[in-house]
Amino acid sequence: MYELKNKLLLLCLSVCLVLVACGSKEEEKPSTDNAKESKGILLDDKGNPKKTIKVNKDTEKAVKDVIEQNRKSLNEGNVEAYIETIDHDSKHLNAKEEEKVLKDTLKNYQFDKKIKNIKFLKEKNNEVVVFYNVDTTAHPKNGGKDEQKSFNEVVTLVKKDGKYKYSKMSQAAI
């Protein structure tokens, strides 16, 4: 039973974070005495990034739409729609590996992923960096105990052919 819980935890994090085989380097965190931090992002006492930017309404809508598609497709178990949200040329995410892991994981689990508090951190050329909070519950299809995880996620999205795609993902537990 203990081994099953560990496997579930690993699979949940792997799928929800889309970090399998990404091999991204850890970003250095700024040193502070009493501040909360998340992947080098300085957070205020409410868990919000201290430095955010405003983007134009079209960019904001396009980015939020792809974040929602990614979240919704995971919850629905729609692997094809999920993989459409990933940049297949990314140096940090391997779309083929993500697809394989997701298909294998969805045989045994159903997910309920919720995203809130979307904040824009950086915009340059056709790339945006976004911060948000995630609450995820993995429901074992065999009727086992649900596993819940909450974390902050920092994602980089690139615009290709008029649509934003996930290029890099990093997370830090709350």
Side-chain angles (χ1 to χ4, degrees), residues 10-72:
L10 179 60
L11 289 172
C12 178
L13 287 175
S14 296
V15 171
C16 295
L17 305 177
V18 193
L19 291 174
V20 175
C22 70
S24 63
K25 294 180 182 177
E26 289 291 317
E27 297 174 21
E28 222 173 281
K29 296 181 180 180
S31 59
T32 59
D33 293 330
N34 299 319
K36 293 180 183 178
E37 299 171 2
S38 176
K39 283 293 182 190
I41 307 302
L42 194 58
L43 304 179
D44 65 18
D45 59 351
K46 294 180 181 175
N48 294 312
K50 284 191 174 185
K51 293 182 181 181
T52 62
I53 63 166
K54 293 277 188 190
V55 295
N56 72 51
K57 297 241 184 249
D58 291 338
T59 299
E60 181 178 359
K61 181 179 178 348
V63 168
K64 287 182 175 180
D65 285 351
V66 78
I67 291 170
E68 175 60 13
Q69 178 186 345
N70 181 273
R71 183 203 66 79
K72 184 178 177 184

Side-chain angles (χ1 to χ4, degrees), residues 101-125:
V101 169
L102 186 56
K103 283 180 179 178
D104 288 345
T105 303
L106 289 172
K107 289 177 188 173
N108 299 309
Y109 302 97
Q110 181 178 344
F111 292 92
D112 181 19
K113 180 178 182 178
K114 296 176 182 161
I115 294 175
K116 61 186 177 198
N117 196 30
I118 297 172
K119 305 288 184 190
F120 290 81
L121 304 177
K122 181 178 172 185
E123 181 180 27
K124 186 177 180 182
N125 300 326

Side-chain angles (χ1 to χ4, degrees), residues 130-147:
V130 180
F131 167 96
Y132 50 78
N133 308 113
V134 180
D135 294 314
T136 302
T137 304
H139 307 280
K141 290 182 177 179
N142 69 1
K145 185 180 176 188
D146 289 352
E147 293 288 332

